[in-house]
Coordinates of all heavy atoms in Angstrom, one line a residue:
M1 N 111.0 -61.7 28.5 CA 109.6 -61.8 28.8 C 109.0 -60.3 28.5 O 109.5 -59.3 28.8 CB 109.5 -62.0 30.2 CG 108.2 -62.0 30.7 SD 107.9 -63.0 32.3 CE 107.3 -61.8 33.4
V2 N 107.8 -60.3 27.9 CA 107.1 -59.2 27.5 C 105.8 -59.0 28.3 O 105.0 -60.0 28.5 CB 106.7 -59.1 26.0 CG1 105.8 -58.0 25.6 CG2 107.9 -59.4 25.2
C3 N 105.7 -57.9 28.9 CA 104.5 -57.5 29.7 C 103.5 -56.6 29.0 O 104.0 -55.6 28.4 CB 104.9 -57.0 31.1 SG 105.7 -58.2 32.1
A4 N 102.4 -56.8 29.2 CA 101.4 -55.8 28.5 C 100.4 -55.2 29.6 O 100.1 -55.9 30.5 CB 100.5 -56.5 27.5
T5 N 100.1 -54.1 29.4 CA 99.3 -53.3 30.4 C 98.0 -53.0 29.7 O 97.9 -52.5 28.6 CB 99.9 -51.9 30.9 OG1 101.2 -52.3 31.4 CG2 99.0 -51.3 31.8
I6 N 96.9 -53.4 30.4 CA 95.6 -53.3 29.8 C 95.0 -52.1 30.5 O 94.9 -52.0 31.7 CB 94.8 -54.5 29.9 CG1 95.3 -55.6 29.1 CG2 93.3 -54.2 29.4 CD1 94.7 -56.9 29.3
T7 N 94.5 -51.0 29.8 CA 93.8 -49.8 30.4 C 92.4 -50.1 30.1 O 91.9 -50.3 28.9 CB 94.4 -48.6 29.8 OG1 95.9 -48.6 30.0 CG2 93.8 -47.4 30.4
T8 N 91.6 -49.7 31.1 CA 90.1 -49.8 30.9 C 89.6 -48.5 31.2 O 90.1 -47.7 32.0 CB 89.5 -50.8 31.8 OG1 89.8 -50.6 33.2 CG2 89.9 -52.2 31.6
T9 N 88.5 -48.2 30.6 CA 87.8 -46.9 30.9 C 86.7 -47.2 31.8 O 86.2 -48.2 32.0 CB 87.2 -46.3 29.6 OG1 86.3 -47.0 29.1 CG2 88.4 -45.9 28.7
S10 N 86.3 -46.2 32.6 CA 85.2 -46.4 33.5 C 83.9 -46.6 32.8 O 83.6 -45.9 31.9 CB 85.1 -45.1 34.5 OG 84.0 -45.2 35.3
T11 N 83.1 -47.6 33.4 CA 81.9 -47.8 32.8 C 80.8 -46.8 33.3 O 79.6 -46.7 32.9 CB 81.2 -49.2 33.1 OG1 81.2 -49.3 34.6 CG2 82.2 -50.3 32.5
F12 N 81.4 -45.8 34.2 CA 80.4 -44.9 34.7 C 80.7 -43.5 34.2 O 80.1 -42.6 34.6 CB 80.6 -44.8 36.2 CG 80.2 -46.1 37.0 CD1 81.3 -46.9 37.5 CD2 79.0 -46.5 37.1 CE1 81.0 -48.0 38.1 CE2 78.7 -47.6 37.7 CZ 79.5 -48.5 38.2
A13 N 81.4 -43.4 33.1 CA 81.6 -42.2 32.2 C 80.3 -41.9 31.6 O 79.7 -42.6 31.1 CB 82.8 -42.4 31.3
T14 N 79.9 -40.6 31.9 CA 78.6 -40.1 31.5 C 78.6 -39.0 30.6 O 79.5 -38.2 30.8 CB 77.4 -40.0 32.6 OG1 78.1 -39.0 33.4 CG2 77.3 -41.2 33.4
N15 N 77.7 -38.7 29.7 CA 77.6 -37.5 28.9 C 76.2 -36.8 29.1 O 75.4 -37.2 28.3 CB 77.8 -37.8 27.4 CG 78.0 -36.8 26.5 OD1 77.4 -35.7 26.8 ND2 78.6 -37.0 25.4
P16 N 76.1 -35.9 29.9 CA 74.9 -35.2 30.2 C 74.4 -34.5 28.9 O 73.2 -34.4 28.7 CB 75.1 -34.1 31.3 CG 76.6 -34.3 31.6 CD 77.2 -35.4 30.9
D17 N 75.2 -33.9 28.1 CA 74.8 -33.4 26.8 C 74.1 -34.4 25.9 O 73.0 -34.1 25.3 CB 75.9 -32.8 26.0 CG 76.7 -31.6 26.7 OD1 75.8 -30.9 27.6 OD2 77.9 -31.4 26.7
Q18 N 74.7 -35.6 25.8 CA 74.0 -36.7 25.1 C 72.6 -37.1 25.7 O 71.6 -37.4 25.1 CB 74.9 -37.9 24.9 CG 74.3 -39.1 24.3 CD 73.9 -38.8 22.8 OE1 74.4 -37.9 22.1 NE2 73.0 -39.5 22.3
G19 N 72.6 -37.1 27.1 CA 71.4 -37.3 27.8 C 70.5 -36.2 27.4 O 69.2 -36.6 27.3
E20 N 70.8 -35.0 27.3 CA 69.8 -34.0 27.0 C 69.2 -34.2 25.6 O 67.9 -34.2 25.5 CB 70.4 -32.6 27.0 CG 69.6 -31.6 26.8 CD 70.2 -30.0 26.8 OE1 71.4 -30.0 26.9 OE2 69.3 -29.1 26.8
N21 N 70.0 -34.6 24.7 CA 69.4 -35.0 23.4 C 68.6 -36.2 23.5 O 67.5 -36.1 22.8 CB 70.6 -35.4 22.4 CG 71.5 -34.2 22.0 OD1 71.0 -33.1 22.2 ND2 72.7 -34.4 21.8
L22 N 68.8 -37.1 24.4 CA 67.9 -38.3 24.3 C 66.6 -38.0 25.0 O 65.6 -38.4 24.6 CB 68.7 -39.3 25.2 CG 69.8 -40.0 24.4 CD1 70.8 -40.9 25.4 CD2 69.3 -40.9 23.3
V23 N 66.6 -37.1 26.2 CA 65.3 -36.8 26.7 C 64.5 -35.9 25.9 O 63.2 -36.0 25.9 CB 65.5 -36.1 28.1 CG1 66.3 -37.1 29.1 CG2 66.2 -34.8 28.1
K24 N 65.1 -35.0 25.1 CA 64.2 -34.4 24.1 C 63.7 -35.2 23.1 O 62.6 -35.0 22.7 CB 65.2 -33.3 23.5 CG 65.5 -32.1 24.4 CD 66.3 -31.0 23.7 CE 66.6 -30.0 24.9 NZ 67.5 -28.9 24.1
R25 N 64.3 -36.3 22.7 CA 63.7 -37.2 21.8 C 62.6 -38.2 22.4 O 61.6 -38.4 21.9 CB 64.8 -37.9 21.1 CG 64.3 -39.0 20.1 CD 65.4 -39.6 19.2 NE 66.4 -39.8 20.1 CZ 67.6 -40.6 19.8 NH1 67.5 -41.3 18.7 NH2 68.7 -40.7 20.5
W26 N 63.0 -38.9 23.6 CA 62.3 -39.8 24.1 C 61.3 -39.3 25.2 O 60.2 -40.0 25.4 CB 63.2 -40.9 24.7 CG 63.9 -41.7 23.7 CD1 65.1 -41.6 23.3 CD2 63.3 -42.8 22.9 NE1 65.4 -42.6 22.4 CE2 64.3 -43.3 22.2 CE3 62.0 -43.3 22.9 CZ2 64.1 -44.4 21.2 CZ3 61.8 -44.4 22.1 CH2 62.9 -44.9 21.2
C27 N 61.5 -38.3 25.9 CA 60.8 -38.2 27.2 C 59.9 -36.9 27.2 O 59.0 -36.8 27.9 CB 61.8 -37.9 28.3 SG 63.0 -39.3 28.4
A28 N 60.3 -36.0 26.1 CA 59.6 -34.6 26.3 C 58.1 -34.7 25.9 O 57.3 -33.8 26.1 CB 60.2 -33.7 25.3
G29 N 57.6 -35.8 25.3 CA 56.2 -36.0 25.0 C 55.4 -36.2 26.3 O 54.2 -35.8 26.3
C30 N 56.0 -36.5 27.4 CA 55.3 -36.6 28.7 C 55.9 -35.7 29.7 O 55.0 -35.2 30.5 CB 55.2 -38.1 29.1 SG 54.4 -39.2 28.1
H31 N 57.1 -35.7 29.9 CA 57.7 -35.1 31.0 C 58.3 -33.6 30.5 O 58.6 -33.4 29.4 CB 59.0 -35.7 31.4 CG 58.8 -37.1 32.1 ND1 58.5 -37.2 33.4 CD2 58.8 -38.3 31.6 CE1 58.3 -38.5 33.6 NE2 58.5 -39.3 32.6
L32 N 58.2 -32.7 31.4 CA 58.9 -31.4 31.2 C 60.4 -31.7 31.4 O 60.8 -31.9 32.5 CB 58.3 -30.3 32.2 CG 58.8 -28.9 32.0 CD1 58.2 -28.3 30.6 CD2 58.3 -28.0 33.2
V33 N 61.1 -31.6 30.4 CA 62.5 -31.9 30.4 C 63.4 -30.7 30.2 O 64.6 -30.6 30.6 CB 63.0 -32.9 29.4 CG1 62.0 -34.1 29.5 CG2 62.7 -32.4 27.9
A34 N 62.9 -29.5 29.8 CA 63.7 -28.3 29.6 C 62.9 -27.1 30.0 O 61.6 -27.1 29.7 CB 64.2 -28.3 28.3
A35 N 63.4 -26.0 30.4 CA 62.8 -24.7 30.7 C 62.1 -24.1 29.5 O 61.0 -23.5 29.8 CB 63.8 -23.8 31.2
D36 N 62.5 -24.3 28.4 CA 61.8 -23.6 27.2 C 60.8 -24.6 26.6 O 60.2 -24.2 25.5 CB 62.8 -23.4 26.1 CG 63.6 -24.5 25.6 OD1 63.4 -25.7 26.1 OD2 64.3 -24.3 24.6
Q37 N 60.5 -25.7 27.2 CA 59.4 -26.7 26.7 C 58.0 -26.1 27.0 O 57.7 -25.5 28.0 CB 59.5 -28.0 27.4 CG 58.7 -29.1 26.8 CD 59.0 -30.4 27.4 OE1 60.0 -30.7 27.9 NE2 58.0 -31.2 27.5
K38 N 57.1 -26.3 26.1 CA 55.8 -25.6 26.1 C 54.8 -26.4 26.9 O 54.0 -25.9 27.7 CB 55.2 -25.5 24.7 CG 56.0 -24.6 23.8 CD 56.0 -23.1 24.6 CE 56.8 -22.2 23.5 NZ 57.4 -21.1 24.3
G39 N 54.9 -27.8 27.0 CA 54.0 -28.5 27.7 C 54.4 -30.0 28.1 O 55.3 -30.4 27.5
A40 N 53.6 -30.6 28.9 CA 54.0 -31.9 29.4 C 52.7 -32.5 30.0 O 51.7 -31.7 30.3 CB 55.1 -31.9 30.3
R41 N 52.7 -33.9 30.2 CA 51.6 -34.4 30.9 C 51.5 -34.0 32.3 O 52.6 -34.0 33.1 CB 51.6 -35.9 30.9 CG 51.2 -36.4 29.4 CD 51.2 -37.8 29.3 NE 50.8 -38.5 30.4 CZ 50.5 -39.8 30.5 NH1 50.8 -40.6 29.5 NH2 50.0 -40.4 31.4
A42 N 50.3 -33.7 33.0 CA 50.2 -33.4 34.3 C 50.6 -34.4 35.3 O 51.1 -34.2 36.4 CB 48.8 -32.9 34.6
D43 N 50.4 -35.7 35.0 CA 50.7 -36.7 35.8 C 52.2 -37.3 35.7 O 52.6 -38.2 36.4 CB 49.8 -38.0 35.6 CG 49.9 -38.7 34.2 OD1 50.4 -37.9 33.3 OD2 49.5 -39.8 34.1
A44 N 53.1 -36.7 34.9 CA 54.5 -37.0 34.7 C 55.2 -36.0 35.5 O 55.2 -34.8 35.1 CB 54.8 -37.2 33.3
P45 N 56.1 -36.4 36.4 CA 57.0 -35.4 37.1 C 57.9 -34.7 36.2 O 58.4 -35.3 35.2 CB 57.7 -36.3 38.2 CG 57.7 -37.6 37.6 CD 56.5 -37.8 36.8
T46 N 58.2 -33.5 36.6 CA 59.3 -32.7 35.8 C 60.6 -33.4 36.2 O 60.8 -33.9 37.1 CB 59.2 -31.3 36.1 OG1 59.7 -31.1 37.5 CG2 57.9 -30.6 35.9
F47 N 61.5 -33.2 35.2 CA 62.8 -33.7 35.5 C 63.6 -32.8 36.6 O 64.3 -33.5 37.3 CB 63.7 -33.8 34.2 CG 63.3 -34.9 33.4 CD1 62.3 -35.8 33.6 CD2 64.1 -35.3 32.4 CE1 62.0 -36.9 32.8 CE2 63.9 -36.3 31.5 CZ 62.8 -37.2 31.7
A48 N 63.3 -31.6 36.7 CA 63.8 -30.8 37.7 C 63.4 -31.4 39.0 O 64.1 -31.4 40.0 CB 63.6 -29.4 37.6
S49 N 62.0 -31.7 39.1 CA 61.6 -32.2 40.5 C 62.1 -33.5 40.8 O 62.3 -33.9 42.1 CB 60.2 -32.2 40.4 OG 59.6 -33.3 39.6
I50 N 62.3 -34.4 39.8 CA 63.0 -35.6 40.1 C 64.5 -35.5 40.7 O 64.9 -36.0 41.6 CB 63.2 -36.6 38.8 CG1 61.8 -37.0 38.4 CG2 64.0 -37.7 38.9 CD1 61.6 -37.6 37.1
A51 N 65.3 -34.5 39.9 CA 66.6 -34.2 40.5 C 66.7 -33.6 41.8 O 67.5 -33.8 42.6 CB 67.2 -33.2 39.5
A52 N 65.5 -32.9 42.2 CA 65.5 -32.2 43.5 C 65.1 -33.1 44.7 O 65.1 -32.8 45.8 CB 64.6 -31.0 43.6
R53 N 64.7 -34.4 44.4 CA 64.3 -35.3 45.5 C 65.4 -35.6 46.3 O 66.5 -35.7 45.8 CB 63.8 -36.7 44.9 CG 62.4 -36.4 44.1 CD 61.9 -37.6 43.4 NE 60.7 -37.5 42.7 CZ 60.2 -38.4 41.9 NH1 60.7 -39.7 41.8 NH2 59.1 -38.1 41.4
P54 N 65.3 -35.6 47.6 CA 66.4 -36.0 48.6 C 67.1 -37.3 48.4 O 68.2 -37.4 48.5 CB 65.7 -35.9 50.0 CG 64.3 -35.5 49.7 CD 64.1 -35.5 48.3
D55 N 66.3 -38.2 47.8 CA 66.8 -39.6 47.7 C 67.4 -39.7 46.2 O 67.7 -40.9 45.7 CB 65.8 -40.7 47.9 CG 64.6 -40.6 47.1 OD1 64.3 -39.5 46.6 OD2 63.9 -41.6 47.1
F56 N 67.5 -38.6 45.4 CA 67.9 -38.8 44.0 C 69.3 -39.4 43.9 O 70.2 -38.9 44.5 CB 68.0 -37.5 43.3 CG 68.3 -37.6 41.9 CD1 67.5 -38.1 40.9 CD2 69.6 -37.1 41.5 CE1 68.0 -38.1 39.6 CE2 70.1 -37.2 40.4 CZ 69.3 -37.7 39.2
D57 N 69.4 -40.4 43.1 CA 70.7 -41.1 42.9 C 70.7 -41.4 41.5 O 70.1 -42.2 40.8 CB 70.7 -42.3 43.7 CG 72.1 -43.1 43.6 OD1 72.8 -43.0 42.5 OD2 72.3 -44.0 44.4
P58 N 71.7 -40.8 40.7 CA 71.7 -41.1 39.1 C 71.9 -42.6 38.8 O 71.2 -43.1 37.9 CB 73.1 -40.2 38.7 CG 73.1 -39.2 39.7 CD 72.6 -39.9 41.0
A59 N 72.6 -43.2 39.6 CA 72.8 -44.7 39.3 C 71.6 -45.5 39.5 O 71.2 -46.4 38.6 CB 74.0 -45.3 40.3
K60 N 70.8 -45.2 40.4 CA 69.5 -45.8 40.7 C 68.5 -45.4 39.6 O 67.7 -46.2 39.1 CB 68.9 -45.5 42.0 CG 69.5 -46.1 43.2 CD 68.8 -45.7 44.4 CE 69.6 -46.3 45.7 NZ 68.9 -45.9 46.9
L61 N 68.5 -44.1 39.2 CA 67.6 -43.7 38.0 C 68.1 -44.4 36.7 O 67.2 -44.9 36.0 CB 67.8 -42.2 37.8 CG 66.9 -41.6 36.7 CD1 65.4 -42.0 36.8 CD2 67.1 -40.2 36.6
A62 N 69.3 -44.5 36.5 CA 69.7 -45.3 35.3 C 69.3 -46.7 35.3 O 68.8 -47.2 34.3 CB 71.3 -45.2 35.1
F63 N 69.3 -47.4 36.3 CA 68.9 -48.8 36.4 C 67.4 -48.7 36.3 O 66.9 -49.6 35.6 CB 69.2 -49.3 37.8 CG 68.7 -50.8 38.1 CD1 69.5 -51.7 37.4 CD2 67.7 -51.1 38.8 CE1 69.1 -53.0 37.5 CE2 67.3 -52.4 39.0 CZ 68.1 -53.5 38.3
F64 N 66.5 -47.8 36.8 CA 65.2 -47.8 36.7 C 64.8 -47.6 35.2 O 63.8 -48.2 34.7 CB 64.6 -46.5 37.5 CG 63.1 -46.3 37.2 CD1 62.1 -46.9 37.8 CD2 62.8 -45.2 36.3 CE1 60.9 -46.6 37.5 CE2 61.5 -44.9 36.0 CZ 60.6 -45.6 36.7
L65 N 65.5 -46.8 34.5 CA 65.2 -46.6 33.0 C 65.5 -47.8 32.2 O 65.0 -47.9 31.0 CB 66.1 -45.4 32.5 CG 65.7 -44.1 33.1 CD1 66.7 -43.0 32.7 CD2 64.3 -43.6 32.7
L66 N 66.3 -48.7 32.7 CA 66.6 -50.0 31.8 C 65.4 -51.0 32.0 O 65.3 -51.8 31.0 CB 67.9 -50.6 32.3 CG 69.1 -49.8 32.0 CD1 70.3 -50.4 32.6 CD2 69.2 -49.5 30.5
D67 N 64.6 -50.8 32.9 CA 63.6 -51.8 33.1 C 62.2 -51.1 32.7 O 61.8 -50.1 33.1 CB 63.4 -52.2 34.6 CG 62.5 -53.2 34.9 OD1 62.2 -54.1 34.0 OD2 62.0 -53.3 36.1
P68 N 61.5 -51.9 31.7 CA 60.3 -51.1 31.2 C 59.2 -51.1 32.3 O 59.2 -51.9 33.3 CB 59.8 -52.1 30.0 CG 60.8 -53.0 29.9 CD 61.9 -53.0 31.0
H69 N 58.5 -50.0 32.2 CA 57.4 -49.7 33.3 C 56.0 -49.5 32.5 O 56.1 -48.8 31.4 CB 57.8 -48.5 34.1 CG 58.9 -48.9 35.1 ND1 60.3 -48.8 34.5 CD2 59.1 -49.2 36.4 CE1 61.0 -49.2 35.5 NE2 60.4 -49.5 36.6
P70 N 55.0 -49.8 33.1 CA 53.7 -49.7 32.5 C 53.4 -48.3 31.9 O 52.8 -48.2 30.9 CB 52.7 -50.2 33.6 CG 53.5 -50.9 34.5 CD 54.9 -50.3 34.4
K71 N 53.7 -47.2 32.6 CA 53.3 -45.9 32.3 C 54.4 -45.3 31.2 O 54.1 -44.3 30.7 CB 53.2 -44.9 33.4 CG 51.9 -45.3 34.2 CD 51.7 -44.2 35.3 CE 50.5 -44.4 35.9 NZ 50.1 -43.3 36.9
M72 N 55.6 -46.0 31.1 CA 56.5 -45.5 30.2 C 56.7 -46.4 29.0 O 56.6 -47.6 29.1 CB 57.8 -45.4 31.0 CG 57.8 -44.3 32.0 SD 59.3 -44.1 33.0 CE 60.8 -44.5 32.0
P73 N 57.0 -45.8 27.8 CA 57.2 -46.6 26.7 C 58.5 -47.5 26.8 O 59.4 -47.1 27.7 CB 57.4 -45.7 25.5 CG 57.7 -44.4 26.1 CD 57.2 -44.4 27.6
N74 N 58.6 -48.6 26.3 CA 59.7 -49.5 26.2 C 60.8 -48.9 25.3 O 60.8 -49.2 24.2 CB 59.5 -50.9 25.9 CG 60.7 -51.8 26.1 OD1 61.7 -51.4 26.5 ND2 60.5 -53.1 25.7
M75 N 61.7 -48.0 25.7 CA 62.6 -47.2 24.9 C 63.9 -48.2 24.4 O 64.6 -47.8 23.5 CB 63.1 -46.0 25.5 CG 61.9 -45.2 25.9 SD 62.4 -43.7 26.8 CE 62.7 -44.4 28.4
Q76 N 64.0 -49.2 25.3 CA 65.2 -50.1 24.9 C 66.5 -49.4 24.8 O 67.3 -49.4 24.1 CB 64.9 -51.0 23.7 CG 63.8 -51.8 23.8 CD 63.6 -52.8 22.5 OE1 64.3 -52.5 21.5 NE2 62.8 -53.8 22.7
L77 N 66.7 -48.6 26.0 CA 68.0 -47.9 26.2 C 69.1 -48.7 26.5 O 69.0 -49.6 27.1 CB 67.8 -46.8 27.3 CG 66.6 -45.7 27.1 CD1 66.6 -45.1 28.4 CD2 67.0 -44.7 26.0
S78 N 70.2 -48.4 26.0 CA 71.4 -49.1 26.3 C 72.0 -48.5 27.7 O 71.4 -47.5 28.2 CB 72.7 -48.7 25.4 OG 72.9 -47.3 25.5
R79 N 72.8 -49.2 28.3 CA 73.3 -48.8 29.7 C 73.9 -47.3 29.6 O 73.6 -46.6 30.5 CB 74.2 -49.7 30.3 CG 73.7 -50.9 30.7 CD 74.7 -52.0 31.2 NE 74.2 -53.3 31.5 CZ 74.1 -53.9 32.6 NH1 74.7 -53.4 33.5 NH2 73.6 -55.2 32.6
D80 N 74.7 -47.1 28.6 CA 75.3 -45.9 28.4 C 74.2 -44.7 28.3 O 74.3 -43.5 28.8 CB 76.2 -45.8 27.3 CG 77.5 -46.5 27.5 OD1 77.8 -46.8 28.8 OD2 78.2 -46.7 26.5
E81 N 73.2 -44.9 27.5 CA 72.1 -44.0 27.2 C 71.4 -43.7 28.6 O 71.0 -42.6 28.8 CB 71.2 -44.5 26.1 CG 71.7 -44.5 24.8 CD 70.9 -45.3 23.8 OE1 70.1 -46.2 24.2 OE2 70.9 -44.8 22.6
A82 N 71.0 -44.8 29.4 CA 70.4 -44.6 30.6 C 71.2 -43.8 31.5 O 70.8 -42.8 32.2 CB 70.1 -45.8 31.2
S83 N 72.5 -44.1 31.5 CA 73.3 -43.2 32.4 C 73.6 -41.7 31.9 O 73.5 -40.9 32.8 CB 74.8 -43.9 32.3 OG 74.7 -45.2 33.1
D84 N 73.5 -41.6 30.7 CA 73.6 -40.2 30.2 C 72.4 -39.5 30.4 O 72.4 -38.3 30.8 CB 73.7 -40.3 28.6 CG 75.1 -40.6 28.0 OD1 76.0 -40.8 29.0 OD2 75.2 -41.0 27.0
I85 N 71.2 -40.1 30.4 CA 69.9 -39.4 30.8 C 70.0 -39.1 32.3 O 69.6 -38.0 32.5 CB 68.7 -40.3 30.5 CG1 68.5 -40.4 28.9 CG2 67.3 -39.9 31.3 CD1 67.4 -41.4 28.4
A86 N 70.4 -40.1 33.1 CA 70.5 -39.8 34.6 C 71.4 -38.6 34.9 O 71.1 -37.7 35.7 CB 70.8 -41.1 35.3
A87 N 72.6 -38.5 34.1 CA 73.6 -37.5 34.3 C 73.0 -36.1 33.9 O 73.3 -35.1 34.6 CB 74.8 -37.8 33.5
Y88 N 72.2 -36.1 32.7 CA 71.5 -34.8 32.5 C 70.5 -34.5 33.6 O 70.4 -33.2 34.0 CB 70.8 -34.9 31.1 CG 69.9 -33.8 30.9 CD1 70.3 -32.6 30.5 CD2 68.5 -33.9 30.9 CE1 69.6 -31.5 30.4 CE2 67.7 -32.9 30.7 CZ 68.3 -31.7 30.5 OH 67.4 -30.5 30.3
I89 N 69.7 -35.3 34.1 CA 68.7 -35.0 35.0 C 69.4 -34.5 36.2 O 69.1 -33.5 36.9 CB 67.8 -36.2 35.4 CG1 66.9 -36.5 34.1 CG2 66.9 -35.9 36.6 CD1 66.1 -37.7 34.2
A90 N 70.5 -35.0 36.6 CA 71.3 -34.6 37.8 C 71.8 -33.1 37.7 O 71.9 -32.4 38.6 CB 72.6 -35.6 38.1
T91 N 72.0 -32.8 36.4 CA 72.4 -31.2 36.2 C 71.3 -30.3 36.5 O 71.5 -29.2 36.6 CB 72.9 -31.0 34.8 OG1 71.7 -31.1 33.9 CG2 74.0 -32.0 34.4
L92 N 70.0 -30.7 36.6 CA 68.9 -30.0 36.9 C 68.7 -29.6 38.4 O 67.8 -28.9 38.7 CB 67.6 -30.6 36.3 CG 67.8 -30.9 34.8 CD1 66.5 -31.6 34.3 CD2 68.0 -29.6 34.0
K93 N 69.4 -30.2 39.3 CA 69.3 -30.1 40.7 C 69.2 -28.6 41.1 O 69.8 -27.8 40.7 CB 70.4 -30.7 41.5 CG 69.9 -32.0 42.0 CD 71.1 -32.6 43.0 CE 70.5 -33.7 43.7 NZ 71.4 -34.5 44.4

């Protein structure tokens, strides 16, 4: 009898560096996403202020990013991309 072992990787593995690249491409037009950024819309919260919220939860943020919202463009992010963005924002705490 032959037995096989299946190894799975966590679906929660995130890459904040990839998230930083994504926010610079998708989010910097409205949000202040990095300290060296020159400008952002006044009505869009900075990513540092989002990370500093007492109820900040990267998993909830990733889920939020997957659902299009009226004030945000429909970026059609993958789950991994949304998780990477949330992981990057979490580094700004």
Side-chain angles (χ1 to χ4, degrees):
M1 180 157 116
V2 176
C3 294
T5 303
I6 299 174
T7 306
T8 60
T9 58
S10 172
T11 58
F12 297 106
T14 59
N15 183 340
D17 293 331
Q18 179 63 22
E20 182 178 14
N21 292 333
L22 291 166
V23 301
K24 286 179 178 178
R25 180 175 30 166
W26 286 103
C27 310
C30 297
H31 294 273
L32 185 64
V33 301
D36 61 350
Q37 188 176 331
K38 298 297 181 207
R41 288 180 39 171
D43 63 338
T46 67
F47 281 8
S49 71
I50 292 170
R53 291 178 181 172
D55 63 343
F56 176 76
D57 179 340
K60 288 181 183 177
L61 178 60
F63 183 75
F64 170 82
L65 292 172
L66 293 174
D67 190 24
H69 293 77
K71 289 189 174 187
M72 290 177 38
N74 184 3
M75 300 173 283
Q76 299 183 345
L77 298 170
S78 70
R79 289 177 191 242
D80 287 342
E81 290 169 329
S83 293
D84 291 347
I85 289 171
Y88 169 69
I89 292 172
T91 68
L92 303 175
K93 256 188 174 174

